[in-house]
Amino acid sequence: MSARAKEVQIDTESMTITIPVGKNPAMILVDPKQGKAKIVPLVEHGETVVKSSQGKISKVDYRESELF
């Protein structure tokens, strides 16, 4: 994942995460197989695409555009 995504700590005992609420739209990606959780910002205009491989999150693609 790019530097845009920010890692969030998973409490492995209770399998929970605490999410800070920001001002911009974002999605939370949780991959229990890898033991990772990240806050991924959504692009203002375009698509944020999550790709997986073998049941794990492998990549996040940002497809941005600009309004004319």
Side-chain angles (χ1 to χ4, degrees), residues 9-49:
Q9 294 300 315
I10 298 176
D11 180 347
T12 54
E13 194 172 298
S14 64
M15 291 305 288
T16 59
I17 56 176
T18 301
I19 306 298
V21 177
K23 294 183 180 185
N24 297 318
M27 65 179 163
I28 309 303
L29 295 179
V30 179
D31 189 334
K33 286 188 175 183
Q34 296 184 61
K36 293 182 181 179
K38 294 192 177 191
I39 298 174
V40 179
L42 302 178
V43 296
E44 190 168 335
H45 299 287
E47 301 173 340
T48 305
V49 180

Side-chain angles (χ1 to χ4, degrees), residues 2 5-6 9 15 19 22-24 32-34 37 41 45-46 50 53-54 61-63 65:
S2 76
K6 294 191 175 33
Q9 294 300 315
M15 291 305 288
I19 306 298
K23 294 183 180 185
N24 297 318
K33 286 188 175 183
Q34 296 184 61
H45 299 287
V50 179
S53 175
Q54 298 177 348
D61 285 336
Y62 300 97
R63 299 177 186 166
S65 60

